[in-house]
Amino acid sequence: MSAGLTADEAPVLFEERSAGNGMRVGIATLNAARTLNGFSLPMAHLLHERLLAWAADAGIALVVLQGAGEKAFCAGGDLHSLYQSMRRFCEDGRSDIRDNTYAAEFFDVEYRVDYLIHSFPKPVLCWAHGIVMGGGIGLMSGASHRVVSERSKLAFPEITVGLFPDVGGSWLLQRVPGRAGLFLALTGALLNPGDAIYAGLADLHVAEARRGEVFDALLDVAWSREPDDNHTRLTALLQSFASDAPTGPLLANAALIDELCDGDALEPIVERIGALQTDDAWLQAAQKTLAAGAPGSARLGFELQRRCAGMDLAAVFRTEYTVALHCAAHGDFAEGIRALLIDKDRNPAWQPATLAQASSDWAEAFFISPWPADQHPLADLGLPALERSLA
């Protein structure tokens, strides 16, 4: 903790509460409500360290992830700091993607946290209230028990800032029913709680007003030292508080979305979405986001889902890491952040400016890794603990 920083000002607050059977519940709260709990590098380091400790602590039965404030679990990554690192990279005349040391560290630790949650040896309950976007979905998606409430709004909005659905999005979106995963990557469309569950990004809907009851009930359970038993007990507990979520527009438009996104070529898919005549406000918003978004992001999102098909999650994170650093070095990422958050003119000058220019050949350079496979910064993801210690 930095000098002069009080406990309440720490980027993540950690708490352990005593529960039944002498076990404890670990609670991690993202603590940056003013920035909608934007996921920062200090947050990532703190969370990674504590999750590893809780994984090894036999007295911890389960872990809870939540966000401070009423508006968001996590609205995405800390784009301001990434923007400053990209500006310095360009001003220094750098070209090797490894030379943006901040971006290299940020994506490394962020993806490690996400992967650790996916592979965590104990139940993880993520209470995904309010806004959950980009990096927030990365934190949420690997939890064993993912709860949304009536105000939850999920999205992969990266096309609006010149990135692509990362944090494992290239793996997650392939698992959305039908062709809807590609539609979400291209349009950044908002998902309500019902659609989040339909898309496989959430498990249960629980009213926000019952969060306190749920947390109190966690402390009454006689947790065991067997993670599988605790997984079953947590599932039963949450189901006792769950309620139905209204059907959302993604499910309501599933057949149409499958038609729009049919085929193996991106250009006709984008053309069909853009040409759609509809009075549906949700579809109209998706059209507008795609039309205004970075053509290069549309291409990269498409290529990543295609190339990552069949990969395990660790390999997907390694691929996304390489592409993300290329985006930080010479893609539209800095321009997208500038237009949205720095100058706020909402008028990005995308390069390439058209989908025809953002061809498959253009995208090829983003997949070139400067490391031999065994020296990739995330080469140890997925290895057993002993192998990781020797890597």
Side-chain angles (χ1 to χ4, degrees), residues 374 379-380 383-391:
D374 62 344
D380 60 328
L383 293 178
L386 178 59
E387 291 181 57
R388 283 201 303 271
S389 68
L390 297 174

Side-chain angles (χ1 to χ4, degrees), residues 6-23:
T6 68
D8 288 343
E9 295 171 324
V12 188
L13 303 179
F14 298 107
E15 181 183 1
E16 296 180 7
R17 297 184 187 176
S18 298
N21 216 20
M23 302 293 283

Side-chain angles (χ1 to χ4, degrees), residues 160-244:
T160 64
V161 292
L163 192 59
F164 59 89
D166 68 327
V167 295
S170 309
W171 185 84
L172 292 166
L173 290 173
Q174 291 182 61
R175 286 155 176 77
V176 178
R179 301 285 287 176
L182 178 59
F183 183 83
L184 296 177
L186 295 175
T187 66
L190 280 175
L191 302 178
N192 71 4
D195 272 341
I197 294 170
Y198 163 70
L201 298 172
D203 301 304
L204 292 164
H205 173 265
V206 180
E208 181 63 29
R210 306 201 72 182
R211 191 196 313 200
E213 295 177 66
V214 172
F215 281 34
D216 288 343
L218 291 175
L219 308 184
D220 292 333
V221 176
W223 302 106
S224 82
R225 291 182 178 266
E226 296 298 327
D228 288 346
D229 292 344
N230 290 337
H231 188 285
T232 300
R233 291 184 174 110
L234 180 57
T235 298
L237 185 155
L238 292 173
Q239 287 177 339
S240 73
F241 288 94
S243 54
D244 291 336

Side-chain angles (χ1 to χ4, degrees), residues 276-291:
L276 179 66
Q277 299 294 315
T278 178
D279 295 326
D280 186 307
W282 182 81
L283 287 170
Q284 289 176 344
Q287 282 181 307
K288 291 176 182 177
T289 300
L290 174 56

